[in-house]
Amino acid sequence: MNLYHLKTFYYTAKCRSLTKAADILCITQPAVTKQIKLLQSYYDLKFIDVIGKKVILTDAGEHLYAIADKIFDMEIQAEESIKDFQDSSRGRISILSCESFGAYYLPYIISNYNKSNRNINISVIIRHNESIVSNTVELNNDIGFVSKPIHNPKISVQEILEDNIVCVVPYNYPLRRKDCLEVADIDGCNLIVHEKDSVTRKMTEAFIKKNNLNVNIHYEVSNNEAIKRLVEQGLGISFMSSYIVSEELKTGRLIALPVEDENFNRKYYMIHHVDKYFPKPLKDFMDLVRQWSDIY
């Protein structure tokens, strides 16, 4: 079906006037008549009868008009939807993030973004660093947040945060000092660690090896909240990001001791495919992340 001929028929039927249809379509009245004749000739059906200046729809015309009305109503909706995206009032941002950043930092960034972008839908899925990188390479998401540096020619990487790792112990843990961790405080202790290959786990193992510590790894947990609860219950101590335990420190449920080791910190990075197209909503979100990073 020739949609241009259908549109000419539609406005003629809607206005019940060849002249008004011609004005809407910015063509001449003879052109309107010709296109309707071509439509009727193609289907060998009469859709419109014109008696003088009066336009009368046949039964076939009435049915065709009802269908055409839905078609061109959807066309209007499509135009409005495209305009919304052009005006950046609608859209979707797909984010993959490592657990720590996605659970403890990203919600605040999203909350600030949402204040002026309420119609932008944001999807956040927690993944391991390797999964985030592989999906970003395949352009399966818009941006990612990882906790280790990435070296991949298809990935653009920007450091956005550096966070200290502290030793987290229960409030009643026997300590020689309250202001800084001493190696003797954890020698022979029960240790709660993150899952293998996590950044914090690798840093913990390196610290243990460097200081020749004798510890008992009783629990291996992949969730930060679970680790905190285990520490609270006195089942062991752990190494975690200082920000992650900030609420427990305020209430006194946990104690966090700085580690005197210049390498004992954790960095987070924002990544995206080097060929990624940035619609305005996504660009605004990334700009907000950078602004947050500068003042954090």
Side-chain angles (χ1 to χ4, degrees):
M1 174 175 285
N2 187 311
L3 289 180
Y4 189 65
H5 293 167
L6 180 64
K7 181 175 283 191
T8 302
F9 159 80
Y10 169 71
Y11 281 109
T12 301
K14 183 176 183 178
C15 301
R16 292 297 197 271
S17 168
L18 297 172
T19 302
K20 290 180 180 179
D23 290 341
I24 293 173
L25 296 169
C26 298
I27 58 177
T28 64
Q29 182 176 323
V32 170
T33 302
K34 180 180 179 180
Q35 288 171 26
I36 291 174
K37 286 182 177 179
L38 288 171
L39 180 68
Q40 295 182 142
S41 175
Y42 182 83
Y43 290 104
D44 194 23
L45 277 173
K46 191 81 167 177
F47 297 119
I48 287 178
D49 282 321
V50 180
I51 302 175
K53 293 185 177 181
K54 191 173 182 180
V55 172
I56 302 172
L57 297 184
T58 65
D59 288 343
E62 292 284 0
H63 284 282
L64 182 60
Y65 174 75
I67 296 171
D69 188 49
K70 295 178 182 178
I71 292 173
F72 293 112
D73 181 59
M74 291 180 67
E75 180 187 41
I76 293 171
Q77 293 179 38
E79 290 284 353
E80 291 175 347
S81 177
I82 291 171
K83 187 176 184 301
D84 282 345
F85 281 101
Q86 290 174 330
D87 294 341
S88 302
S89 59
R90 293 179 60 187
R92 182 176 183 273
I93 298 174
S94 173
I95 301 171
L96 298 182
S97 177
C98 61
E99 185 211 356
S100 297
F101 193 86
Y104 298 97
Y105 297 98
L106 203 50
Y108 298 101
I109 300 173
I110 292 174
S111 177
N112 287 330
Y113 180 79
N114 184 62
K115 292 175 182 177
S116 56
N117 299 274
R118 296 188 180 277
N119 291 324
I120 305 299
N121 296 322
I122 299 179
S123 166
V124 179
I125 298 176
I126 303 301
R127 295 279 181 87
H128 293 296
N129 287 320
E130 290 71 18
S131 176
I132 297 170
V133 173
S134 62
N135 276 278
T136 303
V137 167
E138 297 297 324
L139 286 169
N140 292 330
N141 55 290
D142 293 316
I143 55 176
F145 295 96
V146 296
S147 57
K148 69 176 185 179
I150 303 301
H151 304 285
N152 188 307
K154 293 185 178 181
I155 297 293
S156 175
V157 182
Q158 180 178 356
E159 181 183 328
I160 56 171
L161 177 67
E162 182 173 349
D163 195 8
N164 293 327
I165 300 296
V166 294
C167 181
V168 181
V169 303
Y171 74 94
N172 58 354
Y173 193 80
L175 298 167
R176 290 168 177 78
R177 293 172 56 188
K178 297 288 186 179
D179 57 344
C180 188
L181 177 73
E182 291 189 358
V183 173
D185 288 325
I186 59 173
D187 197 39
C189 72
N190 294 331
L191 193 63
I192 303 168
V193 298
H194 289 73
E195 74 276 16
K196 288 185 180 296
D197 296 326
S198 74
V199 173
T200 307
R201 173 69 173 271
K202 290 179 179 178
M203 293 173 64
T204 300
E205 290 175 343
F207 181 78
I208 291 171
K209 183 177 181 180
K210 177 181 177 181
N211 291 281
N212 194 28
L213 296 173
N214 179 30
V215 297
N216 305 306
I217 298 178
H218 277 197
Y219 300 95
E220 181 179 303
V221 185
S222 64
N223 180 273
N224 286 308
E225 291 299 312
I227 291 175
K228 290 192 290 184
R229 301 294 85 82
L230 290 171
V231 175
E232 281 185 36
Q233 296 301 315
L235 297 177
I237 69 173
S238 186
F239 290 97
M240 305 182 74
S241 160
S242 59
Y243 185 80
I244 288 175
V245 295
S246 57
E247 290 299 320
E248 287 78 11
L249 299 182
K250 290 178 184 177
T251 58
R253 303 200 306 273
L254 294 174
I255 297 174
L257 301 175
V259 180
E260 290 186 340
D261 190 322
E262 61 181 10
N263 297 317
F264 223 59
N265 54 45
R266 183 177 187 177
K267 295 182 179 181
Y268 295 98
Y269 306 84
M270 179 167 63
I271 67 172
H272 62 80
H273 195 287
V274 293
D275 295 327
K276 176 67 184 174
Y277 167 71
F278 301 108
K280 190 174 184 302
L282 177 57
K283 183 178 182 299
D284 289 346
F285 184 85
M286 295 174 68
D287 287 342
L288 183 62
V289 172
R290 296 185 185 101
Q291 292 169 17
W292 171 85
S293 173
D294 290 339
I295 63 176
Y296 184 80

PDB file of all heavy atoms in Angstrom, residues 94-120:
ATOM      1  N   SER A  94      21.850   2.322  30.521  1.00  0.00           N
ATOM      2  CA  SER A  94      22.155   0.971  30.992  1.00  0.00           C
ATOM      3  C   SER A  94      23.545   0.958  31.622  1.00  0.00           C
ATOM      4  O   SER A  94      24.537   1.292  30.966  1.00  0.00           O
ATOM      5  CB  SER A  94      22.104  -0.016  29.818  1.00  0.00           C
ATOM      6  OG  SER A  94      22.557  -1.290  30.220  1.00  0.00           O
ATOM      7  N   ILE A  95      23.599   0.572  32.905  1.00  0.00           N
ATOM      8  CA  ILE A  95      24.847   0.609  33.665  1.00  0.00           C
ATOM      9  C   ILE A  95      25.162  -0.767  34.235  1.00  0.00           C
ATOM     10  O   ILE A  95      24.289  -1.436  34.789  1.00  0.00           O
ATOM     11  CB  ILE A  95      24.747   1.618  34.829  1.00  0.00           C
ATOM     12  CG1 ILE A  95      24.441   3.025  34.306  1.00  0.00           C
ATOM     13  CG2 ILE A  95      26.038   1.631  35.650  1.00  0.00           C
ATOM     14  CD1 ILE A  95      24.110   4.021  35.412  1.00  0.00           C
ATOM     15  N   LEU A  96      26.412  -1.180  34.109  1.00  0.00           N
ATOM     16  CA  LEU A  96      26.928  -2.353  34.817  1.00  0.00           C
ATOM     17  C   LEU A  96      27.933  -1.848  35.838  1.00  0.00           C
ATOM     18  O   LEU A  96      28.752  -0.980  35.526  1.00  0.00           O
ATOM     19  CB  LEU A  96      27.588  -3.341  33.856  1.00  0.00           C
ATOM     20  CG  LEU A  96      26.701  -3.972  32.777  1.00  0.00           C
ATOM     21  CD1 LEU A  96      27.510  -4.968  31.958  1.00  0.00           C
ATOM     22  CD2 LEU A  96      25.493  -4.659  33.400  1.00  0.00           C
ATOM     23  N   SER A  97      27.884  -2.394  37.049  1.00  0.00           N
ATOM     24  CA  SER A  97      28.780  -1.898  38.093  1.00  0.00           C
ATOM     25  C   SER A  97      29.249  -3.032  38.993  1.00  0.00           C
ATOM     26  O   SER A  97      28.518  -3.997  39.241  1.00  0.00           O
ATOM     27  CB  SER A  97      28.056  -0.841  38.934  1.00  0.00           C
ATOM     28  OG  SER A  97      28.867  -0.395  40.007  1.00  0.00           O
ATOM     29  N   CYS A  98      30.470  -2.875  39.498  1.00  0.00           N
ATOM     30  CA  CYS A  98      30.935  -3.784  40.537  1.00  0.00           C
ATOM     31  C   CYS A  98      30.102  -3.545  41.786  1.00  0.00           C
ATOM     32  O   CYS A  98      29.494  -2.481  41.949  1.00  0.00           O
ATOM     33  CB  CYS A  98      32.427  -3.583  40.807  1.00  0.00           C
ATOM     34  SG  CYS A  98      32.863  -1.930  41.389  1.00  0.00           S
ATOM     35  N   GLU A  99      30.088  -4.521  42.689  1.00  0.00           N
ATOM     36  CA  GLU A  99      29.164  -4.451  43.824  1.00  0.00           C
ATOM     37  C   GLU A  99      29.371  -3.226  44.708  1.00  0.00           C
ATOM     38  O   GLU A  99      28.425  -2.504  45.016  1.00  0.00           O
ATOM     39  CB  GLU A  99      29.300  -5.706  44.688  1.00  0.00           C
ATOM     40  CG  GLU A  99      28.266  -5.751  45.814  1.00  0.00           C
ATOM     41  CD  GLU A  99      28.744  -6.471  47.060  1.00  0.00           C
ATOM     42  OE1 GLU A  99      29.854  -7.016  47.051  1.00  0.00           O
ATOM     43  OE2 GLU A  99      27.985  -6.450  48.033  1.00  0.00           O
ATOM     44  N   SER A 100      30.589  -2.957  45.105  1.00  0.00           N
ATOM     45  CA  SER A 100      30.836  -1.880  46.065  1.00  0.00           C
ATOM     46  C   SER A 100      30.404  -0.530  45.525  1.00  0.00           C
ATOM     47  O   SER A 100      29.700   0.227  46.203  1.00  0.00           O
ATOM     48  CB  SER A 100      32.323  -1.837  46.450  1.00  0.00           C
ATOM     49  OG  SER A 100      32.693  -3.034  47.092  1.00  0.00           O
ATOM     50  N   PHE A 101      30.792  -0.215  44.314  1.00  0.00           N
ATOM     51  CA  PHE A 101      30.432   1.082  43.750  1.00  0.00           C
ATOM     52  C   PHE A 101      28.935   1.150  43.470  1.00  0.00           C
ATOM     53  O   PHE A 101      28.282   2.162  43.741  1.00  0.00           O
ATOM     54  CB  PHE A 101      31.219   1.348  42.467  1.00  0.00           C
ATOM     55  CG  PHE A 101      31.116   2.777  42.013  1.00  0.00           C
ATOM     56  CD1 PHE A 101      31.970   3.740  42.505  1.00  0.00           C
ATOM     57  CD2 PHE A 101      30.142   3.158  41.094  1.00  0.00           C
ATOM     58  CE1 PHE A 101      31.864   5.069  42.101  1.00  0.00           C
ATOM     59  CE2 PHE A 101      30.030   4.479  40.686  1.00  0.00           C
ATOM     60  CZ  PHE A 101      30.896   5.430  41.197  1.00  0.00           C
ATOM     61  N   GLY A 102      28.390   0.067  42.937  1.00  0.00           N
ATOM     62  CA  GLY A 102      26.972   0.057  42.592  1.00  0.00           C
ATOM     63  C   GLY A 102      26.053   0.136  43.794  1.00  0.00           C
ATOM     64  O   GLY A 102      24.971   0.723  43.721  1.00  0.00           O
ATOM     65  N   ALA A 103      26.476  -0.425  44.912  1.00  0.00           N
ATOM     66  CA  ALA A 103      25.617  -0.456  46.096  1.00  0.00           C
ATOM     67  C   ALA A 103      25.782   0.751  46.994  1.00  0.00           C
ATOM     68  O   ALA A 103      24.819   1.182  47.640  1.00  0.00           O
ATOM     69  CB  ALA A 103      25.899  -1.726  46.899  1.00  0.00           C
ATOM     70  N   TYR A 104      26.994   1.350  47.040  1.00  0.00           N
ATOM     71  CA  TYR A 104      27.253   2.365  48.046  1.00  0.00           C
ATOM     72  C   TYR A 104      27.505   3.767  47.494  1.00  0.00           C
ATOM     73  O   TYR A 104      27.367   4.749  48.229  1.00  0.00           O
ATOM     74  CB  TYR A 104      28.442   1.944  48.908  1.00  0.00           C
ATOM     75  CG  TYR A 104      28.169   0.669  49.661  1.00  0.00           C
ATOM     76  CD1 TYR A 104      28.611  -0.562  49.175  1.00  0.00           C
ATOM     77  CD2 TYR A 104      27.426   0.685  50.840  1.00  0.00           C
ATOM     78  CE1 TYR A 104      28.349  -1.735  49.858  1.00  0.00           C
ATOM     79  CE2 TYR A 104      27.157  -0.492  51.525  1.00  0.00           C
ATOM     80  CZ  TYR A 104      27.620  -1.700  51.028  1.00  0.00           C
ATOM     81  OH  TYR A 104      27.340  -2.861  51.699  1.00  0.00           O
ATOM     82  N   TYR A 105      27.870   3.895  46.240  1.00  0.00           N
ATOM     83  CA  TYR A 105      28.127   5.212  45.666  1.00  0.00           C
ATOM     84  C   TYR A 105      27.093   5.595  44.602  1.00  0.00           C
ATOM     85  O   TYR A 105      26.573   6.716  44.586  1.00  0.00           O
ATOM     86  CB  TYR A 105      29.525   5.257  45.041  1.00  0.00           C
ATOM     87  CG  TYR A 105      30.646   5.056  46.018  1.00  0.00           C
ATOM     88  CD1 TYR A 105      31.246   3.814  46.180  1.00  0.00           C
ATOM     89  CD2 TYR A 105      31.122   6.112  46.782  1.00  0.00           C
ATOM     90  CE1 TYR A 105      32.277   3.623  47.080  1.00  0.00           C
ATOM     91  CE2 TYR A 105      32.166   5.943  47.682  1.00  0.00           C
ATOM     92  CZ  TYR A 105      32.743   4.685  47.824  1.00  0.00           C
ATOM     93  OH  TYR A 105      33.762   4.507  48.716  1.00  0.00           O
ATOM     94  N   LEU A 106      26.804   4.664  43.720  1.00  0.00           N
ATOM     95  CA  LEU A 106      25.952   4.957  42.575  1.00  0.00           C
ATOM     96  C   LEU A 106      24.550   5.442  42.950  1.00  0.00           C
ATOM     97  O   LEU A 106      24.009   6.326  42.275  1.00  0.00           O
ATOM     98  CB  LEU A 106      25.877   3.716  41.680  1.00  0.00           C
ATOM     99  CG  LEU A 106      25.505   3.914  40.205  1.00  0.00           C
ATOM    100  CD1 LEU A 106      26.347   5.003  39.562  1.00  0.00           C
ATOM    101  CD2 LEU A 106      25.686   2.598  39.453  1.00  0.00           C
ATOM    102  N   PRO A 107      23.919   4.902  43.997  1.00  0.00           N
ATOM    103  CA  PRO A 107      22.566   5.382  44.330  1.00  0.00           C
ATOM    104  C   PRO A 107      22.495   6.885  44.566  1.00  0.00           C
ATOM    105  O   PRO A 107      21.511   7.529  44.207  1.00  0.00           O
ATOM    106  CB  PRO A 107      22.227   4.601  45.605  1.00  0.00           C
ATOM    107  CG  PRO A 107      23.004   3.336  45.472  1.00  0.00           C
ATOM    108  CD  PRO A 107      24.304   3.751  44.839  1.00  0.00           C
ATOM    109  N   TYR A 108      23.517   7.481  45.174  1.00  0.00           N
ATOM    110  CA  TYR A 108      23.511   8.915  45.442  1.00  0.00           C
ATOM    111  C   TYR A 108      23.670   9.724  44.151  1.00  0.00           C
ATOM    112  O   TYR A 108      23.070  10.793  43.993  1.00  0.00           O
ATOM    113  CB  TYR A 108      24.613   9.259  46.438  1.00  0.00           C
ATOM    114  CG  TYR A 108      24.422   8.574  47.769  1.00  0.00           C
ATOM    115  CD1 TYR A 108      25.153   7.444  48.100  1.00  0.00           C
ATOM    116  CD2 TYR A 108      23.471   9.033  48.678  1.00  0.00           C
ATOM    117  CE1 TYR A 108      24.961   6.794  49.310  1.00  0.00           C
ATOM    118  CE2 TYR A 108      23.267   8.392  49.892  1.00  0.00           C
ATOM    119  CZ  TYR A 108      24.016   7.276  50.199  1.00  0.00           C
ATOM    120  OH  TYR A 108      23.814   6.629  51.393  1.00  0.00           O
ATOM    121  N   ILE A 109      24.479   9.205  43.237  1.00  0.00           N
ATOM    122  CA  ILE A 109      24.638   9.881  41.946  1.00  0.00           C
ATOM    123  C   ILE A 109      23.332   9.844  41.169  1.00  0.00           C
ATOM    124  O   ILE A 109      22.884  10.841  40.602  1.00  0.00           O
ATOM    125  CB  ILE A 109      25.772   9.223  41.133  1.00  0.00           C
ATOM    126  CG1 ILE A 109      27.097   9.323  41.897  1.00  0.00           C
ATOM    127  CG2 ILE A 109      25.897   9.859  39.759  1.00  0.00           C
ATOM    128  CD1 ILE A 109      28.242   8.565  41.262  1.00  0.00           C
ATOM    129  N   ILE A 110      22.695   8.673  41.153  1.00  0.00           N
ATOM    130  CA  ILE A 110      21.422   8.516  40.446  1.00  0.00           C
ATOM    131  C   ILE A 110      20.356   9.411  41.062  1.00  0.00           C
ATOM    132  O   ILE A 110      19.552  10.029  40.350  1.00  0.00           O
ATOM    133  CB  ILE A 110      20.978   7.046  40.459  1.00  0.00           C
ATOM    134  CG1 ILE A 110      21.928   6.199  39.603  1.00  0.00           C
ATOM    135  CG2 ILE A 110      19.546   6.901  39.945  1.00  0.00           C
ATOM    136  CD1 ILE A 110      21.656   4.710  39.673  1.00  0.00           C
ATOM    137  N   SER A 111      20.333   9.502  42.385  1.00  0.00           N
ATOM    138  CA  SER A 111      19.346  10.341  43.062  1.00  0.00           C
ATOM    139  C   SER A 111      19.481  11.798  42.638  1.00  0.00           C
ATOM    140  O   SER A 111      18.480  12.477  42.362  1.00  0.00           O
ATOM    141  CB  SER A 111      19.524  10.223  44.579  1.00  0.00           C
ATOM    142  OG  SER A 111      18.623  11.078  45.258  1.00  0.00           O
ATOM    143  N   ASN A 112      20.704  12.296  42.554  1.00  0.00           N
ATOM    144  CA  ASN A 112      20.924  13.678  42.118  1.00  0.00           C
ATOM    145  C   ASN A 112      20.549  13.865  40.655  1.00  0.00           C
ATOM    146  O   ASN A 112      19.966  14.875  40.276  1.00  0.00           O
ATOM    147  CB  ASN A 112      22.386  14.069  42.339  1.00  0.00           C
ATOM    148  CG  ASN A 112      22.712  14.270  43.800  1.00  0.00           C
ATOM    149  OD1 ASN A 112      21.847  14.657  44.589  1.00  0.00           O
ATOM    150  ND2 ASN A 112      23.943  13.999  44.190  1.00  0.00           N
ATOM    151  N   TYR A 113      20.860  12.862  39.843  1.00  0.00           N
ATOM    152  CA  TYR A 113      20.540  12.939  38.417  1.00  0.00           C
ATOM    153  C   TYR A 113      19.028  12.958  38.205  1.00  0.00           C
ATOM    154  O   TYR A 113      18.505  13.675  37.352  1.00  0.00           O
ATOM    155  CB  TYR A 113      21.162  11.750  37.688  1.00  0.00           C
ATOM    156  CG  TYR A 113      20.891  11.710  36.198  1.00  0.00           C
ATOM    157  CD1 TYR A 113      21.621  12.506  35.326  1.00  0.00           C
ATOM    158  CD2 TYR A 113      19.916  10.868  35.671  1.00  0.00           C
ATOM    159  CE1 TYR A 113      21.389  12.471  33.963  1.00  0.00           C
ATOM    160  CE2 TYR A 113      19.672  10.829  34.312  1.00  0.00           C
ATOM    161  CZ  TYR A 113      20.421  11.634  33.465  1.00  0.00           C
ATOM    162  OH  TYR A 113      20.169  11.599  32.109  1.00  0.00           O
ATOM    163  N   ASN A 114      18.322  12.175  39.000  1.00  0.00           N
ATOM    164  CA  ASN A 114      16.880  12.035  38.836  1.00  0.00           C
ATOM    165  C   ASN A 114      16.117  13.326  39.139  1.00  0.00           C
ATOM    166  O   ASN A 114      14.995  13.520  38.657  1.00  0.00           O
ATOM    167  CB  ASN A 114      16.370  10.916  39.743  1.00  0.00           C
ATOM    168  CG  ASN A 114      14.893  10.643  39.566  1.00  0.00           C
ATOM    169  OD1 ASN A 114      14.446  10.261  38.494  1.00  0.00           O
ATOM    170  ND2 ASN A 114      14.115  10.849  40.626  1.00  0.00           N
ATOM    171  N   LYS A 115      16.715  14.212  39.906  1.00  0.00           N
ATOM    172  CA  LYS A 115      16.034  15.456  40.270  1.00  0.00           C
ATOM    173  C   LYS A 115      15.665  16.290  39.049  1.00  0.00           C
ATOM    174  O   LYS A 115      14.642  16.980  39.045  1.00  0.00           O
ATOM    175  CB  LYS A 115      16.921  16.272  41.215  1.00  0.00           C
ATOM    176  CG  LYS A 115      17.092  15.631  42.585  1.00  0.00           C
ATOM    177  CD  LYS A 115      18.065  16.414  43.447  1.00  0.00           C
ATOM    178  CE  LYS A 115      18.273  15.730  44.798  1.00  0.00           C
ATOM    179  NZ  LYS A 115      19.271  16.439  45.637  1.00  0.00           N
ATOM    180  N   SER A 116      16.477  16.224  38.001  1.00  0.00           N
ATOM    181  CA  SER A 116      16.193  17.002  36.795  1.00  0.00           C
ATOM    182  C   SER A 116      16.003  16.126  35.563  1.00  0.00           C
ATOM    183  O   SER A 116      15.890  16.635  34.449  1.00  0.00           O
ATOM    184  CB  SER A 116      17.335  17.992  36.538  1.00  0.00           C
ATOM    185  OG  SER A 116      18.577  17.330  36.459  1.00  0.00           O
ATOM    186  N   ASN A 117      15.963  14.805  35.757  1.00  0.00           N
ATOM    187  CA  ASN A 117      15.795  13.880  34.625  1.00  0.00           C
ATOM    188  C   ASN A 117      14.842  12.756  35.019  1.00  0.00           C
ATOM    189  O   ASN A 117      15.175  11.573  34.947  1.00  0.00           O
ATOM    190  CB  ASN A 117      17.150  13.295  34.209  1.00  0.00           C
ATOM    191  CG  ASN A 117      18.128  14.345  33.748  1.00  0.00           C
ATOM    192  OD1 ASN A 117      18.149  14.731  32.582  1.00  0.00           O
ATOM    193  ND2 ASN A 117      18.946  14.825  34.680  1.00  0.00           N
ATOM    194  N   ARG A 118      13.642  13.111  35.410  1.00  0.00           N
ATOM    195  CA  ARG A 118      12.700  12.135  35.960  1.00  0.00           C
ATOM    196  C   ARG A 118      12.192  11.134  34.926  1.00  0.00           C
ATOM    197  O   ARG A 118      11.712  10.065  35.294  1.00  0.00           O
ATOM    198  CB  ARG A 118      11.517  12.866  36.607  1.00  0.00           C
ATOM    199  CG  ARG A 118      11.938  13.710  37.807  1.00  0.00           C
ATOM    200  CD  ARG A 118      10.738  14.263  38.548  1.00  0.00           C
ATOM    201  NE  ARG A 118      11.165  15.061  39.696  1.00  0.00           N
ATOM    202  CZ  ARG A 118      11.499  14.562  40.884  1.00  0.00           C
ATOM    203  NH1 ARG A 118      11.439  13.260  41.062  1.00  0.00           N
ATOM    204  NH2 ARG A 118      11.871  15.341  41.877  1.00  0.00           N
ATOM    205  N   ASN A 119      12.257  11.467  33.646  1.00  0.00           N
ATOM    206  CA  ASN A 119      11.739  10.562  32.619  1.00  0.00           C
ATOM    207  C   ASN A 119      12.818   9.668  32.013  1.00  0.00           C
ATOM    208  O   ASN A 119      12.556   8.946  31.054  1.00  0.00           O
ATOM    209  CB  ASN A 119      11.045  11.358  31.510  1.00  0.00           C
ATOM    210  CG  ASN A 119       9.763  12.003  31.988  1.00  0.00           C
ATOM    211  OD1 ASN A 119       9.047  11.421  32.799  1.00  0.00           O
ATOM    212  ND2 ASN A 119       9.471  13.191  31.510  1.00  0.00           N
ATOM    213  N   ILE A 120      14.026   9.739  32.551  1.00  0.00           N
ATOM    214  CA  ILE A 120      15.107   8.875  32.069  1.00  0.00           C
ATOM    215  C   ILE A 120      15.131   7.615  32.924  1.00  0.00           C
ATOM    216  O   ILE A 120      15.307   7.669  34.141  1.00  0.00           O
ATOM    217  CB  ILE A 120      16.468   9.590  32.149  1.00  0.00           C
ATOM    218  CG1 ILE A 120      16.432  10.922  31.401  1.00  0.00           C
ATOM    219  CG2 ILE A 120      17.560   8.686  31.593  1.00  0.00           C
ATOM    220  CD1 ILE A 120      16.121  10.792  29.923  1.00  0.00           C
TER     221      ILE A 120
END
